[in-house]
Amino acid sequence: MINKEKMKILSVRSIAHQTIEMVLESEQISKVALPGQFLHIQVGNLTLRRPISIANNCSETGRITILFKVNGQGTNELSSYQSGEMLDILGPLGNGFPLESRSESTVLLIGGGIGVPPLYYLGKTFRCKGIKVISILGFQQANDVFYEDQFSELGETIIVTNDGSYGFKGLVTDVLERISAFDCYYACGPKPMLKALTDKLTDKEGFISLEERMGCGVGACFACVLPTTDGNGYKKICKDGPVFPAREVKL
Amino acid sequence: MINLSLKLPGLSLKNPIMPASGCFGFGHEYSDFYNLSKLGAIILKAATSRERFGNPTPRVAETASGMLNAIGLQNPGVMNIINHEVPFLSQFDTNIIANIAGSTLEEYVEVAKSFNETDQVHALELNISCPNVKEGGIQFGTDPNMAAHVTEAVKKVSQLPVYVKLSPNVTDIISIAKAVEAAGADGLSMINTITGMQIHLPSRKPLIANKTGGLSGPAIKPIAIRMVYEVSQNVNIPIIGMGGIQNAEDVLEFLLAGASAVAVGTANFQNPFVCSEIIDELPKVLEKYGFSSVQEAIGKGIMA
Ligand SMILES: Cc1cc2nc3c(=O)[nH]c(=O)nc-3n(C[C@H](O)[C@H](O)[C@H](O)COP(=O)(O)OP(=O)(O)OC[C@H]3O[C@@H](n4cnc5c(N)ncnc54)[C@H](O)[C@@H]3O)c2cc1C
Ligand SMILES: Cc1cc2nc3c(=O)[nH]c(=O)nc-3n(C[C@H](O)[C@H](O)[C@H](O)COP(=O)(O)O)c2cc1C
């Protein structure tokens, strides 16, 4: 059930270069929000809402955390909101990562840049189920790195930066050999990263979370569609996704 | 009691509010937010003869007080719409208006004919104004002779009243409106989006993959009001007005300009409840400005 709700901002803080962590107080949405789902946030009086992933959620306290990069007009304006102010939010939107009836004992989380946020809520949920979590997080450079400690608490965490200014130098795909064994991977990040990953990990089951510019966010306007790999269909990222089995859609 | 109801060709409306074509899909998504029986009518997303996948993404971009879109008429094809989408909507006590599009005259005729096969659609909106497809569409909407020709052809085969949706991307919208009226249109709907473009500075590339797109939202409202006013002064068929409507005050403005009913598009994306909220607010707004019914307000702008 999708709700439209006014959420109170409980805290706003900068956690890396141009990267903001915002904690929100939710009445309804928090009760049902699952890892991989997102919020559609009304910022000022912009025409279109801005989609932002749920990075953490506690249904008991009603606290939802979002992490976002200041990227343009909307996210810039969003970063200027102060604690105590209210945000008009539609959510939870989309289908999350599949969690039911899964039998893996070790999962690999792979995040790139602003694709990292949804993986934190996912990893925490896996951890609670007693599943072993390994994470590879890729960033541009040292001052972009965030949530290393939080992910480390979930399990082994490898940080990669493009310029080598922190952790390993290179791309997330360059360190895959360091991971001994895992049953399934879950990835979110820029399209080229997801493409490289799915091309490399052909023998593994995987799920990827995608981004595209959105209109309505609920599946009505056909702005965020993507062809399926079988060549005779399409998926709406906002409603059928944003999470898809690794080879279901054409990247 | 403020009376919101009115009768238009083929439509018995409990209120003049309808979601605009392409901004409400086929209703499924919004039926989770409120009971669609509340709406005066629902205008469906465009139907073409066969399934269309539409344009490459990104297909939308934010603009000052509006947005650009180039969806490209993605739809599952007219028979799928009739067999799988219309039956769902027919459970609601509202009017259904099918939006028909095509690349050729033959396609418009074929799609219009197909809608004779269902008794659940109450009127057609003839979309001769889509700016986002390479061939057809807008060509029919920018030339009075072609507009009249396609209107006549569709009227000939269809059992339903036909509302012709006009393009604002023309120098003289009155001549097009008059031409389709003479060709037998039962009503007009206006305006479709205005062709626009936006360039992203860092990449120097257009912000939407189709390069150009249709501008909608509050930015286009004054243009829509002007066009509805001018056209209403020159035709005798009713107008469904649209372009940037966000609230009940905007609705009254369209009525004063000469529209009989209105459609709400882009505003649904920001607020999925917007049509329902406008219907709740409209009686208060009409009363505030001295009207006791929708009918009474139509064309009552004082322009002299
Ligand atoms: C399902 C989903 C989850 C997301 N989760 C996060 C997150 O957790 N943290 C985060 O920092 N970012 C996230 N993003 C990306 C985020 O939505 C964009 O960075 C943001 O919309 C940019 O808006 P802007 O106004 O600042 O940028 P502008 O470039 O000015 O925006 C113009 C338009 O483009 C859209 N847009 C621009 N970039 C993107 C993008 N990458 N994806 C989708 N739409 C875009 C905007 O929504 C807006 O409509 C997510 C995107 C999606 C689709
Ligand atoms: C995403 C989107 C898709 C649209 N698709 C259609 C369509 O399929 N057929 C059509 O006649 N008009 C279509 N329109 C135009 C709207 O029906 C309407 O005429 C226009 O957007 C102006 O109203 P608004 O400012 O309230 O959105 C579309 C508009 C948008 C924003």
Side-chain angles (χ1 to χ4, degrees):
Chain A
M1 184 62 201
I2 301 169
N3 274 286
K4 181 168 168 287
E5 165 177 341
K6 289 256 192 298
M7 289 190 197
K8 187 169 166 185
I9 300 170
L10 297 177
S11 68
V12 189
R13 75 184 173 106
S14 168
I15 52 170
H17 175 66
Q18 302 273 55
T19 310
I20 309 289
E21 175 197 73
M22 196 177 255
V23 181
L24 305 163
E25 186 176 58
S26 155
E27 292 253 319
Q28 301 298 330
I29 294 172
S30 163
K31 290 193 183 116
V32 291
L34 299 169
Q37 288 188 302
F38 65 97
L39 304 177
H40 218 19
I41 306 181
Q42 180 62 44
V43 181
N45 49 24
L46 293 179
T47 301
L48 297 172
R49 289 173 179 267
R50 297 298 190 262
I52 300 287
S53 303
I54 296 168
N56 199 2
N57 176 39
C58 174
S59 53
E60 287 97 61
T61 59
R63 288 184 179 197
I64 293 181
T65 305
I66 56 171
L67 308 174
F68 62 91
K69 187 122 200 157
V70 175
N71 230 345
Q73 193 189 0
T75 45
N76 187 35
E77 215 172 310
L78 184 60
S79 72
S80 71
Y81 277 69
Q82 318 252 311
S83 58
E85 288 190 88
M86 308 295 281
L87 279 173
D88 179 329
I89 291 176
L90 204 59
L93 299 186
N95 293 306
F97 291 99
L99 292 168
E100 299 307 318
S101 69
R102 302 211 46 91
S103 57
E104 59 265 85
S105 56
T106 305
V107 297
L108 175 61
L109 310 182
I110 308 158
I114 56 164
V116 169
L119 298 178
Y120 182 63
Y121 185 22
L122 178 69
K124 241 185 67 177
T125 309
F126 278 133
R127 216 15 238 284
C128 289
K129 291 177 177 248
I131 294 165
K132 187 172 165 205
V133 176
I134 305 172
S135 308
I136 302 177
L137 310 178
F139 299 93
Q140 299 265 326
Q141 51 189 51
N143 63 2
D144 293 311
V145 178
F146 61 87
Y147 266 43
E148 182 184 9
D149 294 347
Q150 285 87 336
F151 276 90
S152 298
E153 277 171 31
L154 303 178
E156 180 187 352
T157 298
I158 300 177
I159 306 285
V160 189
T161 51
N162 290 4
D163 66 353
S165 52
Y166 194 86
F168 291 92
K169 179 173 164 50
L171 306 170
V172 292
T173 38
D174 298 334
V175 293
L176 287 172
E177 298 79 46
R178 298 183 171 271
I179 310 299
S180 44
F182 62 95
D183 306 309
C184 184
Y185 69 93
Y186 298 83
C188 184
K191 245 187 213 172
M193 175 195 115
L194 296 175
K195 183 148 179 21
L197 265 180
T198 50
D199 286 349
K200 204 156 178 183
L201 296 173
T202 42
D203 56 334
K204 292 281 185 188
E205 191 185 13
F207 294 90
I208 55 175
S209 181
L210 296 173
E211 287 178 11
E212 185 51 83
R213 279 198 244 149
M214 288 181 177
C216 66
V218 299
C221 77
F222 289 77
C224 62
V225 297
L226 194 79
T228 50
T229 34
D230 63 14
N232 50 25
Y234 67 90
K235 296 280 173 186
K236 300 172 188 171
I237 292 181
C238 67
K239 193 181 182 187
D240 303 321
V243 177
F244 295 98
R247 277 165 291 277
E248 187 174 29
V249 285
K250 233 184 245 159
L251 292 175
Chain B
M1 257 313 263
I2 304 288
N3 186 359
L4 297 185
S5 72
L6 78 159
K7 284 205 167 18
L8 296 180
L11 307 169
S12 191
L13 304 173
K14 57 182 98 166
N15 62 63
I17 310 301
M18 37 188 113
S21 181
C23 301
F24 211 71
F26 298 99
H28 283 272
E29 293 78 19
Y30 291 94
S31 70
D32 289 342
F33 293 103
Y34 59 94
N35 184 346
L36 303 185
S37 297
K38 194 168 174 183
L39 296 166
I42 296 174
I43 309 180
L44 305 184
K45 186 168 173 49
T48 51
S49 61
R50 265 157 290 284
E51 178 171 28
R52 280 186 68 114
F53 287 114
N55 289 325
T57 56
R59 293 176 170 184
V60 293
E62 172 105 20
T63 65
S65 294
M67 64 177 281
L68 288 173
N69 92 79
I71 306 294
L73 297 180
Q74 179 159 16
N75 80 94
V78 64
M79 289 322 293
N80 273 319
I81 293 174
I82 291 172
N83 295 326
H84 304 297
E85 307 292 351
V86 173
F88 168 79
L89 281 175
S90 63
Q91 68 176 293
F92 299 103
D93 174 24
T94 185
N95 293 274
I96 300 176
I97 303 175
N99 180 284
I100 67 174
S103 308
T104 60
L105 186 81
E106 292 70 32
E107 186 174 7
Y108 279 105
V109 167
E110 182 188 340
V111 179
K113 251 193 209 157
S114 303
F115 279 107
N116 290 336
E117 289 173 33
T118 166
D119 55 7
Q120 292 159 345
V121 168
H122 303 87
L124 297 182
E125 181 177 52
L126 178 58
N127 179 3
I128 54 167
S129 46
C130 181
N132 298 326
V133 289
K134 293 258 146 24
E135 64 310 323
I138 199 155
Q139 285 164 15
F140 291 96
T142 49
D143 177 280
N145 292 324
M146 279 180 84
H149 200 47
V150 66
T151 304
E152 209 173 336
V154 164
K155 276 299 289 180
K156 204 186 277 168
V157 297
S158 179
Q159 298 155 1
L160 296 167
V162 175
Y163 292 76
V164 180
K165 185 160 183 179
L166 302 184
S167 171
N169 302 303
V170 295
T171 344
D172 180 10
I173 197 164
I174 298 169
S175 65
I176 313 251
K178 282 180 158 169
V180 301
E181 181 184 36
D186 298 277
L188 300 172
S189 95
M190 56 192 290
I191 58 175
N192 209 318
T193 54
I194 300 170
T195 315
M197 183 166 163
Q198 213 177 7
I199 300 168
H200 183 239
L201 299 185
S203 64
R204 297 188 217 162
K205 288 182 181 161
L207 265 167
I208 46 181
N210 189 53
K211 286 196 226 156
T212 61
L215 182 64
S216 64
I220 70 168
K221 200 188 74 176
I223 299 171
I225 294 283
R226 186 265 291 178
M227 290 186 158
V228 166
Y229 168 63
E230 288 181 349
V231 167
S232 71
Q233 298 298 303
N234 287 281
V235 299
N236 293 307
I237 47 177
I239 298 172
I240 301 170
M242 69 198 79
I245 294 176
Q246 289 190 297
N247 52 45
E249 281 81 1
D250 294 340
V251 174
L252 177 56
E253 195 178 341
F254 272 88
L255 297 177
L256 294 179
S260 295
V262 298
V264 181
T266 305
N268 291 288
F269 303 160
Q270 198 178 79
N271 177 7
F273 296 97
V274 71
C275 290
S276 170
E277 289 173 7
I278 289 176
I279 292 164
D280 292 338
E281 290 304 312
L282 190 56
K284 290 170 229 168
V285 170
L286 286 169
E287 187 169 23
K288 176 174 173 194
Y289 292 97
F291 297 102
S292 63
S293 70
V294 164
Q295 192 67 52
E296 205 180 86
I298 299 170
K300 289 296 158 53
I302 299 171
M303 314 292 181

